[in-house]
Amino acid sequence: MAEAAWDEDLCTMLDVLDRISGKWAVSILLRTSSGPVRFTELERSLRGISRRMLTLNLRNLERDGLIVRTVYPTVPPKVEYTATEMARELYGSLAGLTSWAVRHRDTVAAAREAYDQRRHIDVPP
Amino acid sequence: MAEAAWDEDLCTMLDVLDRISGKWAVSILLRTSSGPVRFTELERSLRGISRRMLTLNLRNLERDGLIVRTVYPTVPPKVEYTATEMARELYGSLAGLTSWAVRHRDTVAAAREAYDQRRHIDVPP
DNA sequence: CGGAATCCGCTCGGATACTG
DNA sequence: CAGTATCCGAGCGGATTCCG
């Protein structure tokens, strides 16, 4: 039975990968993991993100239950975003990936350089 | 010092995420992890992939040193792809992600459904 | 067999302007 | 303040064709 389930689990994992890929999702999760953060605060925190992309990412993460959106009906409006426990767990399981990335950073860089040089030989024009 | 390094490590990890995101990269790594695989074999294995995308993915993975490309100068030509040890390690550290995905699969699905229903109330074209 | 080249639609993502 | 709406370019990804 452990045999027939592995590609279903693979699919499930690929879904997660898709969910957290994209330039900003992980950074948003990280920033909201340590407590409620307001929209504008996030916008400044993640330097370079556009309003549109911030909104889209927040909506997607909220939809998947990874962050909670809290609206305070004040004037001016105040909205806070907080990562859920589930999201913090997810962030934790990304540690393995970080570890791999750091350990092999140099090897990957070297492989790239070598590959590019090989390719540059036959493309002079 | 552990303070100043965290966002550099985050960047490194985000690079890896980008590298393995996309529809096919992980599946290719998995398929080539258990031994050399030929191009056409891969093409059949990953049902749905186009020639173009397979080639592009293979090139990128090769460039980063995650797979090795071996050409046998025979007629007809024979080319084999094999995941490197580094790649198998990477695949291993994805296990944490898989575990998370499986554990929270239902919760995420429920969150989505709830979110969508909330949204469908006020959008009856 | 193992690609490379071309075409083409779609989505991602940035910039800007407008609203409650 | 916290969005929504709109426009636009760039790149992903599929289908097909051509080549050694």
Side-chain angles (χ1 to χ4, degrees), chain A residues 27-28 31-32 34-49 51 54 58 72 77-82:
Chain A
S27 302
I28 293 177
R31 186 66 179 80
T32 54
S34 40
V37 189
R38 300 185 60 172
F39 186 89
T40 310
E41 213 172 334
L42 267 174
E43 196 177 6
R44 276 193 308 261
S45 233
L46 292 72
R47 289 216 179 249
I49 196 174
R51 269 204 165 80
L54 180 54
L58 288 172
Y72 299 92
K78 177 179 172 184
V79 181
E80 283 181 345
Y81 295 91
T82 316

CSV table of all heavy atoms in Angstrom, one decimal, chain A residues 27-28 31-32 34-49 51 54 58 72 77-82, chain D residues 1-3:
chain,number,residue,atom,x,y,z
A,27,SER,N,8.2,34.9,1.6
A,27,SER,CA,8.6,36.1,2.4
A,27,SER,C,7.4,36.6,3.2
A,27,SER,O,7.6,37.1,4.3
A,27,SER,CB,9.2,37.2,1.5
A,27,SER,OG,10.3,36.7,0.7
A,28,ILE,N,6.3,36.6,2.5
A,28,ILE,CA,5.1,37.0,3.2
A,28,ILE,C,4.8,36.1,4.4
A,28,ILE,O,4.5,36.6,5.5
A,28,ILE,CB,3.9,37.0,2.3
A,28,ILE,CG1,4.0,38.1,1.2
A,28,ILE,CG2,2.6,37.3,3.0
A,28,ILE,CD1,3.0,38.1,0.2
A,31,ARG,N,7.2,37.0,7.2
A,31,ARG,CA,6.9,38.3,7.8
A,31,ARG,C,5.7,38.2,8.8
A,31,ARG,O,5.7,38.9,9.8
A,31,ARG,CB,6.8,39.3,6.8
A,31,ARG,CG,6.6,40.7,7.3
A,31,ARG,CD,7.9,41.2,7.9
A,31,ARG,NE,7.8,42.6,8.4
A,31,ARG,CZ,7.2,42.9,9.6
A,31,ARG,NH1,6.7,42.0,10.3
A,31,ARG,NH2,7.2,44.2,10.0
A,32,THR,N,4.7,37.4,8.4
A,32,THR,CA,3.5,37.3,9.2
A,32,THR,C,3.6,36.2,10.3
A,32,THR,O,2.6,36.0,11.0
A,32,THR,CB,2.3,37.1,8.3
A,32,THR,OG1,2.5,35.9,7.5
A,32,THR,CG2,2.0,38.2,7.4
A,34,SER,N,5.6,36.1,12.8
A,34,SER,CA,5.9,36.6,14.1
A,34,SER,C,4.9,37.5,14.7
A,34,SER,O,5.2,38.3,15.7
A,34,SER,CB,7.3,37.3,14.1
A,34,SER,OG,7.5,38.0,12.9
A,35,GLY,N,3.7,37.5,14.2
A,35,GLY,CA,2.6,38.4,14.7
A,35,GLY,C,1.9,39.1,13.6
A,35,GLY,O,2.3,39.1,12.5
A,36,PRO,N,0.8,39.8,14.0
A,36,PRO,CA,-0.1,40.5,13.0
A,36,PRO,C,0.7,41.6,12.3
A,36,PRO,O,1.5,42.3,13.0
A,36,PRO,CB,-1.2,41.0,13.8
A,36,PRO,CG,-1.2,40.2,15.1
A,36,PRO,CD,0.2,39.8,15.3
A,37,VAL,N,0.5,41.7,11.0
A,37,VAL,CA,1.2,42.8,10.3
A,37,VAL,C,0.1,43.5,9.4
A,37,VAL,O,-0.7,42.8,8.8
A,37,VAL,CB,2.3,42.2,9.4
A,37,VAL,CG1,3.1,43.3,8.8
A,37,VAL,CG2,3.2,41.3,10.1
A,38,ARG,N,0.2,44.8,9.3
A,38,ARG,CA,-0.7,45.5,8.5
A,38,ARG,C,-0.3,45.5,7.1
A,38,ARG,O,0.9,45.3,6.7
A,38,ARG,CB,-0.8,47.0,9.0
A,38,ARG,CG,-1.3,47.0,10.5
A,38,ARG,CD,-1.5,48.4,10.9
A,38,ARG,NE,-2.5,49.1,10.1
A,38,ARG,CZ,-3.0,50.3,10.4
A,38,ARG,NH1,-2.6,50.9,11.5
A,38,ARG,NH2,-3.9,50.9,9.6
A,39,PHE,N,-1.2,45.8,6.2
A,39,PHE,CA,-1.0,45.8,4.8
A,39,PHE,C,0.2,46.7,4.4
A,39,PHE,O,1.1,46.2,3.7
A,39,PHE,CB,-2.3,46.3,4.0
A,39,PHE,CG,-2.2,46.2,2.5
A,39,PHE,CD1,-2.6,45.0,1.9
A,39,PHE,CD2,-1.7,47.2,1.8
A,39,PHE,CE1,-2.5,44.9,0.5
A,39,PHE,CE2,-1.6,47.1,0.4
A,39,PHE,CZ,-2.0,45.9,-0.2
A,40,THR,N,0.1,48.0,4.8
A,40,THR,CA,1.2,48.9,4.4
A,40,THR,C,2.5,48.5,4.9
A,40,THR,O,3.6,48.7,4.3
A,40,THR,CB,0.8,50.3,4.9
A,40,THR,OG1,-0.5,50.6,4.4
A,40,THR,CG2,1.7,51.3,4.2
A,41,GLU,N,2.5,47.9,6.1
A,41,GLU,CA,3.7,47.5,6.8
A,41,GLU,C,4.4,46.4,5.9
A,41,GLU,O,5.6,46.4,5.7
A,41,GLU,CB,3.3,46.9,8.2
A,41,GLU,CG,4.4,47.1,9.2
A,41,GLU,CD,3.8,46.6,10.6
A,41,GLU,OE1,2.5,46.7,10.7
A,41,GLU,OE2,4.5,46.2,11.4
A,42,LEU,N,3.5,45.5,5.4
A,42,LEU,CA,4.0,44.4,4.6
A,42,LEU,C,4.6,45.0,3.3
A,42,LEU,O,5.6,44.6,2.8
A,42,LEU,CB,2.9,43.5,4.2
A,42,LEU,CG,2.7,42.3,5.1
A,42,LEU,CD1,1.4,41.5,4.7
A,42,LEU,CD2,3.9,41.3,5.0
A,43,GLU,N,3.9,46.0,2.8
A,43,GLU,CA,4.3,46.6,1.5
A,43,GLU,C,5.7,47.2,1.6
A,43,GLU,O,6.5,47.1,0.7
A,43,GLU,CB,3.3,47.6,1.1
A,43,GLU,CG,3.4,48.1,-0.3
A,43,GLU,CD,2.3,49.1,-0.7
A,43,GLU,OE1,1.5,49.5,0.3
A,43,GLU,OE2,2.2,49.5,-1.8
A,44,ARG,N,5.9,47.8,2.8
A,44,ARG,CA,7.3,48.4,3.0
A,44,ARG,C,8.3,47.3,3.3
A,44,ARG,O,9.4,47.4,2.8
A,44,ARG,CB,7.2,49.4,4.1
A,44,ARG,CG,6.7,50.8,3.7
A,44,ARG,CD,7.0,51.7,4.8
A,44,ARG,NE,6.5,51.3,6.1
A,44,ARG,CZ,5.3,51.7,6.6
A,44,ARG,NH1,4.6,52.6,6.0
A,44,ARG,NH2,4.9,51.2,7.8
A,45,SER,N,7.9,46.3,4.0
A,45,SER,CA,8.8,45.2,4.4
A,45,SER,C,9.3,44.5,3.2
A,45,SER,O,10.5,44.3,3.1
A,45,SER,CB,8.0,44.2,5.3
A,45,SER,OG,8.7,44.0,6.5
A,46,LEU,N,8.5,44.1,2.3
A,46,LEU,CA,8.9,43.4,1.1
A,46,LEU,C,9.2,44.3,0.0
A,46,LEU,O,8.5,44.5,-0.9
A,46,LEU,CB,7.8,42.4,0.6
A,46,LEU,CG,7.4,41.3,1.5
A,46,LEU,CD1,6.7,41.7,2.8
A,46,LEU,CD2,6.6,40.3,0.7
A,47,ARG,N,10.4,45.0,0.1
A,47,ARG,CA,10.7,46.0,-0.8
A,47,ARG,C,10.7,45.5,-2.2
A,47,ARG,O,11.4,44.5,-2.6
A,47,ARG,CB,12.1,46.5,-0.5
A,47,ARG,CG,12.2,47.4,0.8
A,47,ARG,CD,13.1,48.5,0.7
A,47,ARG,NE,13.1,49.3,1.9
A,47,ARG,CZ,12.6,50.5,2.0
A,47,ARG,NH1,12.1,51.1,0.9
A,47,ARG,NH2,12.6,51.2,3.2
A,48,GLY,N,10.0,46.2,-3.0
A,48,GLY,CA,9.9,45.8,-4.5
A,48,GLY,C,8.6,45.3,-4.9
A,48,GLY,O,8.3,45.2,-6.1
A,49,ILE,N,7.8,44.8,-4.0
A,49,ILE,CA,6.5,44.2,-4.3
A,49,ILE,C,5.5,45.3,-4.7
A,49,ILE,O,5.6,46.4,-4.2
A,49,ILE,CB,5.9,43.4,-3.2
A,49,ILE,CG1,4.8,42.4,-3.7
A,49,ILE,CG2,5.4,44.3,-2.1
A,49,ILE,CD1,4.3,41.5,-2.7
A,51,ARG,N,1.5,46.7,-5.2
A,51,ARG,CA,0.3,46.6,-4.5
A,51,ARG,C,-0.5,45.4,-5.0
A,51,ARG,O,-1.0,44.6,-4.2
A,51,ARG,CB,-0.6,47.8,-4.7
A,51,ARG,CG,-0.4,48.9,-3.7
A,51,ARG,CD,-1.6,49.7,-3.6
A,51,ARG,NE,-1.7,50.6,-2.4
A,51,ARG,CZ,-1.0,51.7,-2.3
A,51,ARG,NH1,-0.2,52.1,-3.3
A,51,ARG,NH2,-1.1,52.4,-1.2
A,54,LEU,N,1.0,42.0,-3.9
A,54,LEU,CA,0.8,41.8,-2.5
A,54,LEU,C,-0.6,41.4,-2.2
A,54,LEU,O,-0.9,40.4,-1.6
A,54,LEU,CB,1.1,43.1,-1.7
A,54,LEU,CG,0.9,43.0,-0.2
A,54,LEU,CD1,1.7,41.8,0.4
A,54,LEU,CD2,1.3,44.3,0.5
A,58,LEU,N,-1.7,37.7,-0.9
A,58,LEU,CA,-2.5,37.6,0.4
A,58,LEU,C,-3.8,36.8,0.2
A,58,LEU,O,-4.1,36.0,1.0
A,58,LEU,CB,-2.7,39.0,1.0
A,58,LEU,CG,-1.5,39.7,1.5
A,58,LEU,CD1,-1.8,41.2,1.8
A,58,LEU,CD2,-1.0,39.0,2.7
A,72,TYR,N,-10.4,45.6,11.1
A,72,TYR,CA,-11.0,46.5,12.1
A,72,TYR,C,-11.7,47.6,11.5
A,72,TYR,O,-11.2,48.5,10.8
A,72,TYR,CB,-9.8,47.0,13.0
A,72,TYR,CG,-9.0,45.9,13.7
A,72,TYR,CD1,-7.9,45.4,13.0
A,72,TYR,CD2,-9.4,45.4,14.9
A,72,TYR,CE1,-7.1,44.4,13.7
A,72,TYR,CE2,-8.7,44.4,15.5
A,72,TYR,CZ,-7.6,43.9,14.9
A,72,TYR,OH,-6.8,42.9,15.5
A,77,PRO,N,-9.5,52.6,7.9
A,77,PRO,CA,-9.5,51.1,8.0
A,77,PRO,C,-8.2,50.5,8.4
A,77,PRO,O,-7.1,51.1,8.1
A,77,PRO,CB,-9.9,50.6,6.6
A,77,PRO,CG,-9.6,51.7,5.7
A,77,PRO,CD,-9.8,53.0,6.5
A,78,LYS,N,-8.2,49.4,9.1
A,78,LYS,CA,-7.0,48.8,9.6
A,78,LYS,C,-7.2,47.3,9.4
A,78,LYS,O,-8.2,46.7,9.8
A,78,LYS,CB,-6.8,49.1,11.1
A,78,LYS,CG,-5.6,48.4,11.7
A,78,LYS,CD,-5.5,48.7,13.2
A,78,LYS,CE,-4.4,47.9,13.8
A,78,LYS,NZ,-4.3,48.2,15.3
A,79,VAL,N,-6.3,46.7,8.6
A,79,VAL,CA,-6.4,45.3,8.3
A,79,VAL,C,-5.1,44.6,8.7
A,79,VAL,O,-4.0,45.1,8.4
A,79,VAL,CB,-6.6,45.0,6.8
A,79,VAL,CG1,-6.7,43.6,6.5
A,79,VAL,CG2,-7.9,45.7,6.4
A,80,GLU,N,-5.2,43.5,9.4
A,80,GLU,CA,-4.0,42.8,9.8
A,80,GLU,C,-3.9,41.4,9.3
A,80,GLU,O,-5.0,40.7,9.2
A,80,GLU,CB,-3.9,42.7,11.4
A,80,GLU,CG,-3.5,44.0,12.0
A,80,GLU,CD,-3.4,43.9,13.5
A,80,GLU,OE1,-3.9,43.0,14.1
A,80,GLU,OE2,-2.8,44.8,14.1
A,81,TYR,N,-2.7,40.9,9.0
A,81,TYR,CA,-2.5,39.6,8.5
A,81,TYR,C,-1.6,38.8,9.4
A,81,TYR,O,-0.6,39.3,9.9
A,81,TYR,CB,-1.9,39.6,7.1
A,81,TYR,CG,-2.8,40.3,6.0
A,81,TYR,CD1,-2.8,41.6,5.8
A,81,TYR,CD2,-3.7,39.5,5.3
A,81,TYR,CE1,-3.6,42.2,4.9
A,81,TYR,CE2,-4.6,40.1,4.4
A,81,TYR,CZ,-4.5,41.4,4.2
A,81,TYR,OH,-5.4,42.0,3.2
A,82,THR,N,-2.0,37.6,9.7
A,82,THR,CA,-1.2,36.7,10.6
A,82,THR,C,-1.1,35.3,10.0
A,82,THR,O,-2.1,34.8,9.5
A,82,THR,CB,-1.9,36.6,11.9
A,82,THR,OG1,-2.4,37.9,12.4
A,82,THR,CG2,-1.0,36.0,12.9
D,1,DC,P,-1.2,55.4,5.7
D,1,DC,OP1,-0.3,54.5,6.5
D,1,DC,OP2,-0.9,55.6,4.2
D,1,DC,O5',-2.7,54.9,5.9
D,1,DC,C5',-3.0,54.2,7.1
D,1,DC,C4',-4.0,53.2,6.8
D,1,DC,O4',-5.0,53.8,5.9
D,1,DC,C3',-3.5,52.0,6.1
D,1,DC,O3',-4.1,50.8,6.7
D,1,DC,C2',-4.0,52.1,4.7
D,1,DC,C1',-5.3,53.0,4.8
D,1,DC,N1,-5.5,53.9,3.7
D,1,DC,C2,-6.7,53.9,3.0
D,1,DC,O2,-7.6,53.1,3.3
D,1,DC,N3,-6.9,54.7,1.9
D,1,DC,C4,-5.9,55.6,1.6
D,1,DC,N4,-6.2,56.4,0.5
D,1,DC,C5,-4.7,55.6,2.3
D,1,DC,C6,-4.5,54.8,3.3
D,2,DA,P,-3.5,49.4,6.4
D,2,DA,OP1,-3.8,48.6,7.6
D,2,DA,OP2,-2.2,49.5,6.0
D,2,DA,O5',-4.5,48.9,5.3
D,2,DA,C5',-5.9,48.7,5.5
D,2,DA,C4',-6.6,48.5,4.2
D,2,DA,O4',-6.5,49.6,3.4
D,2,DA,C3',-6.0,47.3,3.4
D,2,DA,O3',-7.0,46.5,2.9
D,2,DA,C2',-5.4,48.1,2.2
D,2,DA,C1',-6.3,49.3,2.1
D,2,DA,N9,-5.8,50.4,1.3
D,2,DA,C8,-4.6,50.9,1.3
D,2,DA,N7,-4.4,52.0,0.5
D,2,DA,C5,-5.7,52.1,0.0
D,2,DA,C6,-6.2,53.0,-1.0
D,2,DA,N6,-5.5,54.0,-1.5
D,2,DA,N1,-7.5,52.9,-1.3
D,2,DA,C2,-8.2,51.9,-0.8
D,2,DA,N3,-7.9,51.0,0.1
D,2,DA,C4,-6.6,51.2,0.4
D,3,DG,P,-6.6,45.0,2.4
D,3,DG,OP1,-7.9,44.2,2.2
D,3,DG,OP2,-5.7,44.5,3.4
D,3,DG,O5',-5.8,45.2,1.1
D,3,DG,C5',-6.4,44.8,-0.1
D,3,DG,C4',-7.4,45.9,-0.6
D,3,DG,O4',-6.8,47.1,-0.6
D,3,DG,C3',-7.9,45.7,-2.0
D,3,DG,O3',-9.1,44.9,-2.0
D,3,DG,C2',-8.2,47.1,-2.5
D,3,DG,C1',-7.5,48.0,-1.4
D,3,DG,N9,-6.5,48.9,-2.1
D,3,DG,C8,-5.1,49.0,-1.8
D,3,DG,N7,-4.5,49.9,-2.5
D,3,DG,C5,-5.5,50.5,-3.2
D,3,DG,C6,-5.5,51.6,-4.2
D,3,DG,O6,-4.5,52.2,-4.5
D,3,DG,N1,-6.7,51.8,-4.7
D,3,DG,C2,-7.9,51.2,-4.4
D,3,DG,N2,-9.0,51.6,-5.0
D,3,DG,N3,-8.0,50.2,-3.5
D,3,DG,C4,-6.7,49.9,-3.0
